[in-house]
Amino acid sequence: MKTIIVFAAALAAPLAHAHVTIEPGTASAGAYQKLTFRVGHGCEGSATHTLIVTLPEAIASAKPMPKAGWNIGLEGGTVSWKGGPLPDAWYDEFSLQVKLPSTPGKLAFKVTQLCEKGRMDWSELPGAAETKLKAPAPMLEVLPGAGPAHQH
């Protein structure tokens, strides 16, 4: 029985790190905020060549950070980085600055990861039931602001 538990834990461990995450997880309403999306692996063991972030409608503006070896696209409500490639065995971070809404709440950033073999759509949203999501969208919690936002 002990062997089965250890084996099951070993299989589950990579899944815990198998998401595109966002940092920070919280920010103040009305602020300009740097958001960083961390990509921890490729798809099916292959390298990532494109990352597309769909911005929530509440985001007023976005400025992606340049990244050596990657071309940036900013079109409508999406920001994309194409290039790399980012091998499956490595992780990397993709950043942008956004103007947050003045209203507190949770914002979901749907992310599409395109790889040499396949793709991952990090777009699942939590429902009423507490279930573990296979491909959750990175979430940012916008907290009440502390005062007037710095203008850019």
Side-chain angles (χ1 to χ4, degrees):
M1 179 70 168
K2 185 177 178 181
T3 304
I4 294 171
I5 293 170
V6 171
F7 181 69
L11 287 176
L15 296 176
H17 303 290
H19 302 99
V20 171
T21 59
I22 190 171
E23 287 185 3
T26 61
S28 296
Y32 284 88
Q33 180 67 51
K34 176 185 174 187
L35 301 177
T36 300
F37 296 87
R38 181 175 292 145
V39 178
H41 64 83
C43 313
E44 301 176 32
S46 69
T48 299
H49 61 72
T50 303
L51 192 74
I52 303 166
V53 176
T54 301
L55 304 171
E57 287 184 23
I59 297 294
S61 66
K63 289 184 178 184
M65 180 183 284
K67 188 167 195 54
W70 297 80
N71 296 316
I72 297 173
L74 184 58
E75 188 174 324
T78 64
V79 178
S80 63
W81 289 267
K82 296 178 183 183
L86 171 60
D88 179 61
W90 298 353
Y91 86 94
D92 206 346
E93 298 176 334
F94 300 80
S95 297
L96 55 104
Q97 181 184 49
V98 299
K99 172 73 165 95
L100 295 174
S102 58
T103 306
K106 291 189 178 189
L107 299 176
F109 292 79
K110 295 182 179 184
V111 178
T112 300
Q113 178 183 7
L114 302 177
C115 303
E116 292 169 352
K117 294 181 192 171
R119 69 186 279 158
M120 285 297 302
D121 291 303
W122 304 100
S123 60
E124 294 179 348
L125 302 175
E130 287 295 320
T131 59
K132 188 156 181 138
L133 303 175
K134 281 181 63 177
M139 300 289 286
L140 174 70
E141 185 171 1
V142 179
L143 304 173
H150 176 74
Q151 298 298 314
H152 287 250

